[in-house]
Each structure stands twice: as C-alpha cells, then as structure tokens.
Amino acid sequence: MASETTLFRARVPKKRLKNAEKILGQLGLKPGDAFNILLAQIELRRGLPFDMTLNATSLVSAEEQGTEWTNAFGPY
C-alpha cells in the first residue's frame, strides 16, 4: 500500500537551489529526496540533525587550518 503524501512548497534563493541541485545530483538525489531525508532525521532525533547556536565557534582552530594548508600545499 502506498503511503499518503502531501505537497510542500517553499521559497528559496534561486542560486542556492541551483547550487544544491548540482551537489545533490552528484549524490544521485533530488531536492525532494534531500528534504525527505532531513524530515526523517528530525523525526528520529526529535530535533534538528545539527546544532543551532548563537555562539559562533570555528569548525577548526587556526592552528588546525594552518596544518591542513601545509599538508595540502606544502610549507609557505
């Protein structure tokens, strides 16, 4: 038996959607697939699948960035 579905519409910046579609296409996904994955994760986790905060923190420290740069491109 097919599950019941509903149409969800949202306005997003055209450039953002185009960029996302390109990346998702490389993953073999469409935007609707990605949205379904997001909703499934929200259901499973009972919240967003990533942290949301007002406290800005860098993803990696300046030292880690420097090390990665050196490893990728050699010493300056």
Side-chain angles (χ1 to χ4, degrees):
M1 180 189 298
S3 63
E4 187 178 345
T5 64
T6 188
L7 176 63
F8 178 86
R9 295 174 66 162
R11 290 196 177 275
V12 296
K14 186 183 258 186
K15 186 175 180 182
R16 175 170 294 143
L17 179 59
K18 186 174 181 167
N19 291 338
E21 284 176 323
K22 183 177 177 181
I23 294 165
L24 291 169
Q26 293 170 345
L27 296 169
L29 299 171
K30 297 180 214 163
D33 300 327
F35 187 69
N36 249 329
I37 291 168
L38 173 63
L39 292 179
Q41 286 297 309
I42 291 170
E43 250 185 318
L44 288 168
R45 297 166 187 256
R46 299 183 48 81
L48 292 170
F50 48 82
D51 291 333
M52 289 187 64
T53 179
L54 296 176
N55 300 324
T57 58
S58 61
L59 297 176
V60 295
S61 69
E63 183 178 326
E64 290 170 316
Q65 288 177 21
T67 300
E68 289 300 319
W69 180 272
T70 301
N71 290 342
F73 302 109
Y76 181 69

